[in-house]
Amino acid sequence: MEEKQPDQTIQPHDAPKTEAIPQESTPLIEPALVKALEKIAELEGNYLRAKAETENMRRRAQEDVEKAHKFAIERFAEHLLPVLDSFEAALTDSSSDIAKVREGIELTLRQFNNALEKGRVVAINPALGEKFDPHLHQAISMVSAEQEPNTVVTVLQKGYLIAERVLRPALVTVCELKNSTPTPVPHAGLA
């Protein structure tokens, strides 16, 4: 029987798989790999925490918006409650003195106007001769008058702004151009 000599060369199919990596660099790669895997795990944890925090912030913001919509009128309603109290007190008063009733109505109106002001509701009440503004006024009719054309002649109903946005335009009549004849409107049946 023939024994194998210790100095025999190893055949390629017997070679270990790590032969492509030089032996002196193997000890450096293993700690670097472990360090990279630890860094990956740390970054993954940071990512998951950041994702969860973002989701929680989005959910809280959505809840805040829902609460804001739900309770937006609360502060305005708080300002109107004293007005309601005054109306109820007026109904329980059996006084027949018209001067006292008028005084109570005036006080209640002042309370109501203060409540509107606190709620940022402002009246649009154009003065006579003020230039017509289609953003704030709605012209009901045009009339002849001794003033500049395209100006307010009368205010039929006040308008209101809420936070600088038109809630209701003021209904007004406007001065038409002098010596102008209105353009006839064709009837639907005539061509």
Side-chain angles (χ1 to χ4, degrees):
M1 207 175 180
E2 198 174 321
E3 286 185 17
K4 285 188 178 179
Q5 299 289 332
D7 61 321
Q8 279 185 338
T9 59
I10 300 174
Q11 299 299 320
H13 61 359
D14 294 331
K17 302 292 182 200
T18 59
E19 189 176 65
I21 302 171
Q23 286 294 358
E24 60 269 354
S25 67
T26 304
L28 297 175
I29 291 176
E30 220 170 278
L33 181 61
V34 169
K35 191 173 181 180
L37 289 174
E38 288 173 353
K39 186 68 174 175
I40 289 171
E42 178 187 343
L43 291 173
E44 186 177 353
N46 289 345
Y47 166 74
L48 291 175
R49 278 190 292 283
K51 183 179 177 183
E53 187 175 327
T54 303
E55 183 62 29
N56 286 338
M57 285 176 31
R58 186 196 62 73
R59 183 184 44 79
R60 279 193 299 267
Q62 184 178 1
E63 288 173 359
D64 289 346
V65 167
E66 287 173 3
K67 285 179 185 176
H69 285 125
K70 185 175 180 182
F71 298 108
I73 193 106
E74 182 178 12
R75 182 174 291 149
F76 187 61
E78 286 174 354
H79 298 306
L80 287 177
L81 290 178
V83 177
L84 180 63
D85 294 339
S86 293
F87 278 128
E88 289 174 347
L91 288 174
T92 60
D93 185 36
S94 60
S95 172
S96 60
D97 186 3
I98 194 76
K100 281 187 175 184
V101 172
R102 182 172 178 81
E103 182 182 342
I105 291 173
E106 287 172 352
L107 288 172
T108 304
L109 180 60
R110 235 177 296 157
Q111 277 183 320
F112 186 71
N113 284 330
N114 287 338
L116 289 177
E117 188 178 299
K118 288 177 184 175
R120 299 180 356 179
V121 177
V122 180
I124 303 170
N125 192 12
L128 176 70
E130 185 177 320
K131 182 125 178 92
F132 175 75
D133 182 350
H135 300 290
L136 300 175
H137 312 139
Q138 181 178 349
I140 297 300
S141 64
M142 295 189 80
V143 295
S144 295
E146 293 299 318
Q147 62 187 52
E148 289 292 317
N150 206 24
T151 56
V152 175
V153 176
T154 57
V155 178
L156 303 170
Q157 184 180 60
K158 288 185 205 177
Y160 290 92
L161 297 170
I162 185 165
E164 298 180 16
R165 186 177 184 181
V166 176
L167 185 61
R168 179 180 81 190
L171 300 180
V172 297
T173 57
V174 179
C175 182
E176 64 186 1
L177 294 172
K178 294 178 183 169
N179 299 329
S180 68
T181 56
T183 307
V185 178
H187 294 291
L190 301 174

